[in-house]
Amino acid sequence: MIKVGIIGYGNLGKGVEKAVNAAADMELVGVFTRRSPEKTKTVSGAKVYSVNDLEKFAGKADVMVLCGGSATDLPEQTAKYAALFNVVDSFDTHANIPEHLAAVDAAAKKGGHVGAISVGWDPGLFSLARMIFGAVLPEGKDYTFWGRGVSQGHSDAIRRVKGVKDARQYTVPVQKAVDAVRSGAMPELSTREKHTRECYVVLEEGADAAAVEREIKEMPNYFADYETTVHFISEEELKEKHAGLPHGGFVLRSGKTGENSHLLEFSLKLDSNPEFTGSVLTAYARAAARLAAEGKSGAMTVFDIAPKYLSEKDSAFLSAHLL
Amino acid sequence: MIKVGIIGYGNLGKGVEKAVNAAADMELVGVFTRRSPEKTKTVSGAKVYSVNDLEKFAGKADVMVLCGGSATDLPEQTAKYAALFNVVDSFDTHANIPEHLAAVDAAAKKGGHVGAISVGWDPGLFSLARMIFGAVLPEGKDYTFWGRGVSQGHSDAIRRVKGVKDARQYTVPVQKAVDAVRSGAMPELSTREKHTRECYVVLEEGADAAAVEREIKEMPNYFADYETTVHFISEEELKEKHAGLPHGGFVLRSGKTGENSHLLEFSLKLDSNPEFTGSVLTAYARAAARLAAEGKSGAMTVFDIAPKYLSEKDSAFLSAHLL
C-alpha cells in the first residue's frame, strides 16, 4: 500500500481524499492543515493534523499531495516539503514553472525524494497532449481552448468589485474558432477570438448595477480583452444553478506530413474540476512513490514520467489488455 | 544526429522516410528491402540496400524502423534485428503482443539494445489514451471507435472474392453510438453497434454483382457481424475518389468521481494513415535511440517511455513552453 498524505484541505484536497480512498493500492495517512485540526472535519473521516506536525511524519508517508494555491502556497511549500517527502503539486503559474522546477529539484535531490510538479489537467494532461502531438506531428500548430467552465480566479476578481455580493464566471470557447481549427484552416487566433466570458453576479442591496457591469467589463487582464457578458441574478439562483465547478477544454493540433493534413484532438468535459484534478494528482502521487522506490530523485513534470507508473495495474496487464 | 534505417519500403516505409527527412535531428542511413535494391527507387533518393546487408550496418545506425506487416514480417524480424540494432515496430496483432514483447525483450537485452514495439496510433497513441484515461479516472468505461477510414485488411479480403477486380473498404463509426457515449450514458455496445462497413467494389467484366455482394456480406469475421453496404463503381471512380488512405478514430472514457461525471476524449482525423503512422514511429525511433544512449535495453511499449524522449526539443524548452 502506498501511504498518502494531503497538505491543504480545500476543494482540491477533498478531491484527492476521494481518489485516494477509491484506490485499492493506497491508504490515507491524514490531512495536514494550517487551520485548527480540531475544527477541520474530513469528508471520509480521515485524521487531521497541523502542518506543524509534518516533520514527525517523515518516513511514515510515501508521498504528500500538496493542495494549496499557486500564488503563495506552493512556491513556498513544494520545495520545503520535498526535503522531507516525495511530493506532488498542481503549480499552474505557467510563467514561473522553470523557477519552481529548479527550486523543487534542488530540494528533492538533496532529500532523495521525487517531486512531481504542475500536475493536473492544465498544466498536466493538456501539456502531455501538446507535447506528444507536437512530437508526432512536427509540422503544425497547437490550439488550447478552455471551458465551458468556472474560472475561480475570475470569479474572485468579480467578488472584489464594490457592490458585488457573490459571482461565478464561466470561460466559454468560441464555437466558430473551434470549428475553424477543426476544419484544418490553421487560423491565427487571438485570446479574444478564442474565448468569451460569462459572468453571473449577485449584487449587494442598493448597488449600482450599471457601475458594477462597467467595472467588470473594463477590468484589465481579466475581462477588458474579452467579449464579456454580465447577468445579474438572485442569490438563490446562483446557489441553485451555479453551485458546481464544471470545467474542461480542448487541445488541438492541426498539421501536415507533406501534402496530407491531420487533426489531433484531446478534450475533457468535467462536472467537477477539483475532483478530476484531485484524481489526476492521485495517479501522479502513485508514480512519484514508485519512482522514488526505484531510487529516482529530483523534480519531474508529466513529460518525465513514463505512463505505466500512473496505473494501479502492472505492466503485464497493461500490455495484454490496453495496448 | 540520430542515424535511422528503414526496413521494408511500402507505404509505411515511405511515411517514415518523409518524417526522418523532415526531422532536424535525424539522418537517413538507408532503406533495406527484400526486393532487388537496384529496382527500388526511393522517394527522397535515399540509398537502398538488401536486407542481407543489414549485419554490415551494425554500429552504423542508431535505430532501425521496421515497416513490414504484423502477420509474417514482424514476428520474425523485430527480435532478429533487435540483436543488432535499436528497433521500432508497429506490431498490431493485439492478441499476440505479450508473446512478441517477450521475444523482442530477450533479443534486445542480449544485444544491449532498445526495442520499442507496437508503436503507431492503435496500438500506440490510442493505447496511451486508454491507459492514461483509466489511471486518472479509475471508475469508468473505455470506448474505442475506428474510422471513418480505409481498412487495408478488409479491402484485401474483398479483392480475394471471385469476380472482384479492385476494392476499397471504409470502417465507419456509428454516430448514434458515439453520441450515446459522449452523453455519459455508458452504454454496452457490441462491435456491430459501433461500426458499419462501406465497400466500394470494381467488378471484373461479366462478374455476377449479386453473388459478389452476397459473398462479401456473408464473409465471417470481416463482414458477417456488421451492417455492410456494397457499392459497385467503375475503376476510374475508384482511382479518382478512393485513392487515399485516410483513417482516424476516437478513444473515449466516460466515468465518475463519486457523484460527478467526466468525459475524456482523444480523436484523430488522418488524411494519410501510413504517413501519420510513419511520423509516430519516427518520434519513437528518436526515443529508442536516446534511451539506448542512456544505457537502457530491452523491449518497451508506449507505456514504458517517458514522453520527453519523443520530442526534438530539450526538457528545459518543454517545461518552459509546453507545460
Side-chain angles (χ1 to χ4, degrees):
Chain A
M1 295 293 269
I2 298 169
K3 296 190 209 72
V4 184
I6 296 170
I7 303 179
Y9 197 63
N11 287 327
L12 182 58
K14 287 171 190 164
V16 173
E17 178 187 20
K18 198 177 248 188
V20 170
N21 284 328
D25 61 343
M26 293 182 157
E27 62 186 31
L28 200 51
V29 171
V31 166
F32 297 83
T33 178
R34 281 176 303 196
R35 286 172 288 184
S36 160
E38 297 75 32
K39 291 182 185 159
T40 305
K41 288 270 166 288
T42 57
V43 175
S44 69
K47 287 186 185 164
V48 184
Y49 304 96
S50 163
V51 289
N52 300 322
D53 291 332
L54 268 163
E55 290 193 12
K56 298 178 196 157
F57 285 82
K60 292 178 186 163
D62 297 308
V63 56
M64 287 284 170
V65 184
L66 280 75
C67 297
S70 295
T72 55
D73 300 336
L74 300 176
E76 181 229 331
Q77 292 179 339
T78 313
K80 179 177 166 186
Y81 297 128
L84 298 168
F85 303 99
N86 300 309
V87 293
V88 179
D89 80 17
S90 62
F91 185 75
D92 68 358
T93 312
H94 287 261
N96 299 340
I97 284 175
E99 189 190 340
H100 186 62
L101 185 70
V104 175
D105 192 52
K109 281 204 176 116
K110 205 171 159 192
H113 297 116
V114 167
I117 69 148
S118 300
V119 165
W121 59 273
D122 198 358
L125 301 183
F126 273 19
S127 321
L128 267 187
R130 283 187 289 261
M131 200 233 92
I132 295 175
F133 288 0
V136 299
L137 188 62
E139 190 190 338
K141 215 165 140 45
D142 275 341
Y143 298 86
T144 303
F145 291 88
W146 295 276
R148 189 177 191 260
V150 172
S151 163
Q152 308 243 46
H154 288 79
S155 300
D156 289 342
I158 299 173
R159 282 186 208 104
R160 288 191 295 264
V161 172
K162 199 174 162 253
V164 171
K165 192 169 183 187
D166 204 351
R168 196 57 58 112
Q169 194 268 185
Y170 294 88
T171 304
V172 185
V174 174
Q175 192 59 44
K176 213 176 74 177
V178 178
D179 291 344
V181 173
R182 286 196 183 129
S183 77
M186 291 202 229
E188 290 292 334
L189 295 168
S190 64
T191 312
R192 187 197 181 91
E193 288 168 315
K194 285 167 67 187
H195 300 94
T196 58
R197 302 202 173 275
E198 276 177 23
C199 313
Y200 294 84
V201 179
V202 180
L203 290 174
E204 303 271 13
E205 230 181 275
D208 177 349
V212 166
E213 180 165 346
R214 198 167 50 241
E215 189 170 340
I216 293 171
K217 289 187 171 177
E218 291 174 357
M219 203 185 292
N221 303 319
Y222 286 92
F223 296 101
D225 295 336
Y226 296 86
E227 194 183 299
T228 301
T229 52
V230 178
H231 306 274
F232 294 104
I233 60 175
S234 68
E235 197 162 10
E236 293 66 40
E237 189 178 344
L238 190 84
K239 277 187 185 140
E240 195 188 316
K241 295 186 184 161
H242 304 282
L245 292 169
H247 219 313
F250 317 77
V251 174
L252 299 116
R253 187 168 182 88
S254 176
K256 292 186 170 220
T257 52
E259 296 306 300
N260 289 300
S261 295
H262 310 289
L263 184 73
L264 289 67
E265 179 168 347
F266 170 47
S267 70
L268 292 176
K269 208 171 149 231
L270 311 172
D271 273 2
S272 166
N273 184 359
E275 281 194 4
F276 181 73
T277 303
S279 192
V280 177
L281 280 167
T282 301
Y284 277 93
R286 174 183 292 120
R290 285 184 180 170
L291 285 159
E294 288 184 5
K296 305 289 192 304
S297 70
M300 298 184 186
T301 72
V302 293
F303 304 145
D304 302 310
I305 295 173
K308 67 173 174 184
Y309 290 103
L310 303 175
S311 177
E312 218 178 293
K313 311 286 197 300
D314 67 18
S315 281
F317 181 94
L318 297 179
S319 57
H321 299 282
L322 293 172
L323 201 62
Chain B
M1 295 294 269
I2 298 169
K3 295 190 211 69
V4 184
I6 296 169
I7 302 178
Y9 197 62
N11 286 328
L12 182 58
K14 286 171 191 162
V16 174
E17 178 187 19
K18 198 178 248 188
V20 171
N21 283 328
D25 62 341
M26 293 182 154
E27 61 186 32
L28 201 50
V29 170
V31 166
F32 297 84
T33 179
R34 282 176 303 197
R35 286 173 288 184
S36 161
E38 297 75 31
K39 289 181 187 160
T40 305
K41 287 270 167 289
T42 56
V43 176
S44 69
K47 286 184 183 166
V48 184
Y49 304 96
S50 164
V51 288
N52 301 321
D53 292 331
L54 268 165
E55 290 194 12
K56 297 178 197 159
F57 284 82
K60 291 179 187 162
D62 296 309
V63 56
M64 287 284 171
V65 183
L66 280 75
C67 297
S70 295
T72 55
D73 299 336
L74 299 176
E76 182 229 330
Q77 292 178 341
T78 312
K80 179 175 166 189
Y81 296 128
L84 298 168
F85 303 100
N86 300 309
V87 293
V88 179
D89 81 16
S90 62
F91 185 76
D92 66 359
T93 312
H94 287 261
N96 299 339
I97 284 174
E99 189 189 339
H100 186 62
L101 185 71
V104 175
D105 192 52
K109 280 203 176 116
K110 206 171 157 192
H113 297 116
V114 168
I117 69 147
S118 299
V119 166
W121 59 272
D122 197 358
L125 302 183
F126 273 20
S127 322
L128 266 189
R130 285 187 288 262
M131 200 233 94
I132 295 175
F133 288 1
V136 299
L137 188 62
E139 190 192 337
K141 214 165 141 43
D142 275 339
Y143 299 86
T144 302
F145 291 88
W146 297 275
R148 186 175 192 259
V150 173
S151 163
Q152 308 244 43
H154 288 79
S155 300
D156 289 343
I158 299 174
R159 282 188 207 104
R160 289 190 294 264
V161 172
K162 199 174 162 252
V164 171
K165 192 170 182 188
D166 203 352
R168 196 56 59 110
Q169 194 267 186
Y170 294 87
T171 305
V172 185
V174 174
Q175 191 60 43
K176 212 176 75 177
V178 178
D179 291 344
V181 174
R182 286 198 184 128
S183 78
M186 291 202 231
E188 289 292 334
L189 294 169
S190 64
T191 310
R192 187 196 181 90
E193 289 168 314
K194 285 167 66 188
H195 300 95
T196 58
R197 301 203 173 276
E198 277 178 22
C199 313
Y200 293 84
V201 178
V202 180
L203 291 172
E204 303 271 13
E205 231 182 274
D208 177 348
V212 167
E213 180 165 347
R214 197 165 52 240
E215 190 171 338
I216 292 170
K217 288 186 170 177
E218 291 174 358
M219 203 184 293
N221 302 320
Y222 286 92
F223 296 102
D225 296 337
Y226 295 86
E227 195 184 299
T228 301
T229 52
V230 177
H231 306 275
F232 294 105
I233 60 173
S234 68
E235 198 163 10
E236 292 67 41
E237 191 178 343
L238 191 84
K239 277 187 185 141
E240 195 187 317
K241 294 186 184 163
H242 304 282
L245 292 168
H247 220 312
F250 317 78
V251 174
L252 298 117
R253 187 167 181 88
S254 175
K256 291 183 174 228
T257 52
E259 297 305 299
N260 289 300
S261 295
H262 310 288
L263 183 73
L264 288 65
E265 179 168 349
F266 171 46
S267 69
L268 292 176
K269 207 171 150 233
L270 311 172
D271 273 2
S272 166
N273 184 359
E275 281 194 4
F276 181 72
T277 303
S279 192
V280 176
L281 280 166
T282 301
Y284 277 93
R286 175 182 292 121
R290 285 184 180 169
L291 285 159
E294 288 184 6
K296 305 288 192 304
S297 70
M300 298 183 187
T301 73
V302 294
F303 304 146
D304 302 310
I305 295 173
K308 67 174 173 184
Y309 290 103
L310 304 174
S311 177
E312 219 179 293
K313 309 289 199 298
D314 66 19
S315 281
F317 181 93
L318 297 179
S319 57
H321 298 284
L322 293 171
L323 202 61

